[in-house]
């Protein structure tokens, strides 16, 4: 057993029961994260990034069912824990920053009290005075100026960037070992995005916390993560150190995703787009869900049992493709 492994998602499949019947969204997702490591999950909208995170943390929409797989955290399969055991782990060992801070915060509760709620749930021995001091300290740690005054603010009194800082303060209140940040800077202006991402990165480093950053933005992934998992239509197609990915993406989808990333000096007209659309998951899917959009598709792509395997014996560069670049 690799003792340095913190999170191992193995063959995780999730289906949603919808009006159109059962939709197989995640198909045998495999991910791994070592202690203190920073992994990005990238992919187009609807590729299953958030569902993967929700399933792993046990906060999946009730319509979603885990149909197979394991989520090992520090040697325990989270999918076998009771709801009470999972609640204990969430907040204390595992924390998540959600896509939109304004809706994730309680609008009628002071932000300081919302930090205290997490502290109280996980440190019942703390006195009220200690909790308030710790909440103010948390607000200071996410660089909110005048934290004692801001403790009394309601979310509507704060800017989007401030609300996201409060979300980070809540997520990190109990110094978790794993933080999942789901598009933490969506809806924020570019300057605030950088400030927030720098803050998450700095706090993660300071606490030796492993981080999963979910993002559409490959540049953001390149700036803050050491490794990237590329998802498409509920499958992980490539998983590699960031430098390998930019220098030598092996999956045709990753190559197209990189070509579709805006760069300085490239006009919108010249920017490559990825042909076709995400497949309709209500329909039965071929083993490779990218095959209908792929210009390198060969007859072998229709063979069942597509899995992530090391590319050319490189154990750190994994790829799920029958005809890689
Ligand atoms: N509650 C739900 N019921 C039915 N289908 C769902 C539900 N939640 C998500 N899905 C489906 O699961 C798929 C993956 O969704 P997910 O939210 O994980 O995508 P994502 O990669 O996070 O996209 P985005 O970048 O837009 O956040 C989508 O096809 C979506 O329609
Ligand atoms: Mg999402």
């Amino acid at each position: 057993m690799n003792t340095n492994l913190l999170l191992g998602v193995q063959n995780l499949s999730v289906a949603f029961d919808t009006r159109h019947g059962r939709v197989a969204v995640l198909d045998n997702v495999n991910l791994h994260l070592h202690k203190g490591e920073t992994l990005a999950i990238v992919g187009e909208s609807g590729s299953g990034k958030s569902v993967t995170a929700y399933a792993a943390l046990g906060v999946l929409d009730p319509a979603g069912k885990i149909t197979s797989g394991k989520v090992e955290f520090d040697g325990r399969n989270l999918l076998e824990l009771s709801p009470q055991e999972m609640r204990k782990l969430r907040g204390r060992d595992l924390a998540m920053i959600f896509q939109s801070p304004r809706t994730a915060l309680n609008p009628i509760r002071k932000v300081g009290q919302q930090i205290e709620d997490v502290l109280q749930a996980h440190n019942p021995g703390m006195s009220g005075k200690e909790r308030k001091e710790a909440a103010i300290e948390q607000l200071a740690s996410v660089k909110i100026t005048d934290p004692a005054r801001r403790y009394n603010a309601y979310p509507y009194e704060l800017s989007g960037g401030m609300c996201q800082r409060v979300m980070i303060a809540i997520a990190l209140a109990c110094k978790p070992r794993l933080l999942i940040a789901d598009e933490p800077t969506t809806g924020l202006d570019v300057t605030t995005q950088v400030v927030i991402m720098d803050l998450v990165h700095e706090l993660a480093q300071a606490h030796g916390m492993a981080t999963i950053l979910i993002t559409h933005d490959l540049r953001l992934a390149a700036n803050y993560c050491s490794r990237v998992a590329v998802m498409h239509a509920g499958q992980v197609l490539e998983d590699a150190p960031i430098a390998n990915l930019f220098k030598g993406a092996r999956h045709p989808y990753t190559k197209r995703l990189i070509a579709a990333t805006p760069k300085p000096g490239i006009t919108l007209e010249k920017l490559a787009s990825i042909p076709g659309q995400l497949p309709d998951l209500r329909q039965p899917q071929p083993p490779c869900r990218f095959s209908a959009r792929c210009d390198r598709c060969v007859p072998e792509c229709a063979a069942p049992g597509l899995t992530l395997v090391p590319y050319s014996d490189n154990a750190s560069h994994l790829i799920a493709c029958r005809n890689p670049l």
Side-chain angles (χ1 to χ4, degrees):
M1 187 177 127
N2 183 346
T3 50
N4 217 11
L5 191 71
L6 184 66
L7 183 79
V9 175
Q10 293 163 32
N11 298 324
L12 182 67
S13 297
V14 169
F16 281 92
D17 287 320
T18 71
R19 282 187 295 136
H20 309 283
R22 188 161 266 216
V23 182
V25 168
L26 296 190
D27 176 37
N28 286 297
V29 166
N30 282 287
L31 291 171
H32 61 280
L33 185 72
H34 293 101
K35 290 179 183 156
E37 194 182 22
T38 316
L39 168 76
I41 304 181
V42 302
E44 287 165 274
S45 188
S47 56
K49 306 181 295 293
S50 297
V51 168
T52 302
Y54 297 161
L57 294 194
V59 291
L60 199 57
D61 183 285
K65 301 276 172 298
I66 294 171
T67 51
S68 75
K70 257 187 177 180
V71 177
E72 284 200 329
F73 178 74
D74 219 10
R76 293 163 89 190
N77 183 4
L78 299 185
L79 305 185
E80 286 173 352
L81 300 187
S82 67
Q84 290 89 324
E85 288 173 311
M86 259 326 271
R87 259 199 301 278
K88 256 197 208 159
L89 274 184
R90 270 196 309 269
R92 193 188 64 195
D93 290 313
L94 308 161
M96 182 150 175
I97 305 175
F98 290 90
Q99 249 166 304
S100 60
R102 275 199 199 283
T103 44
L105 288 170
N106 183 340
I108 55 164
R109 213 160 151 69
K110 291 177 180 177
V111 295
Q113 289 171 331
Q114 298 191 46
I115 300 175
E116 280 197 42
D117 291 342
V118 183
L119 291 168
Q120 185 164 27
H122 297 288
N123 307 285
M126 254 182 169
S127 71
K129 185 167 171 283
E130 285 169 334
R131 262 202 319 274
K132 182 162 183 182
E133 279 167 10
I136 293 172
E137 212 173 284
Q138 269 309 106
L139 288 171
S141 78
V142 293
K143 301 186 182 151
I144 288 186
T145 47
D146 202 355
R149 186 169 65 88
R150 299 288 192 189
Y151 171 97
N152 290 308
Y154 290 92
Y156 75 88
E157 297 177 287
L158 303 176
S159 67
M162 284 280 200
C163 283
Q164 195 53 293
R165 284 172 198 256
V166 172
M167 282 302 300
I168 297 169
I170 292 173
L172 303 190
C174 297
K175 314 266 179 297
R177 286 188 290 159
L178 170 63
L179 173 73
I180 301 184
D182 189 357
E183 305 272 7
T185 57
T186 304
L188 301 179
D189 64 80
V190 179
T191 319
T192 314
Q193 277 184 8
V194 174
V195 174
I196 293 289
M197 280 310 304
D198 282 349
L199 182 65
V200 171
H201 189 65
E202 193 186 307
L203 293 170
Q205 298 268 302
H207 300 307
M209 188 172 61
T211 314
I212 296 180
L213 170 67
I214 296 179
T215 179
H216 293 105
D217 190 342
L218 265 173
R219 285 168 314 170
L220 207 66
N223 283 341
Y224 295 98
C225 302
S226 52
R227 205 154 52 75
V228 180
V230 179
M231 287 191 76
H232 172 271
Q235 296 179 317
V236 177
L237 298 183
E238 191 158 10
D239 179 338
I242 190 87
N244 288 32
L245 207 79
F246 276 96
K247 276 196 302 207
R250 297 297 170 194
H251 199 288
Y253 177 66
T254 312
K255 192 96 183 162
R256 290 199 175 262
L257 204 60
I258 293 171
T261 301
K263 293 168 202 70
I266 301 235
T267 58
L268 214 52
E269 298 82 56
K270 287 206 179 140
L271 201 62
S273 64
I274 303 172
Q277 291 173 338
L278 283 180
D280 180 354
L281 298 180
R282 290 170 300 182
Q283 309 299 329
Q285 291 300 312
C288 172
R289 294 177 173 187
F290 184 61
S291 53
R293 304 172 78 181
C294 183
D295 56 6
R296 293 179 60 84
C297 184
V298 289
E300 294 84 82
C301 301
L306 183 75
T307 49
L308 270 179
V309 291
Y311 177 79
S312 172
D313 292 335
N314 179 352
S316 67
H317 192 147
L318 307 174
I319 179 160
C321 182
R322 263 52 182 267
N323 189 22
L325 293 156

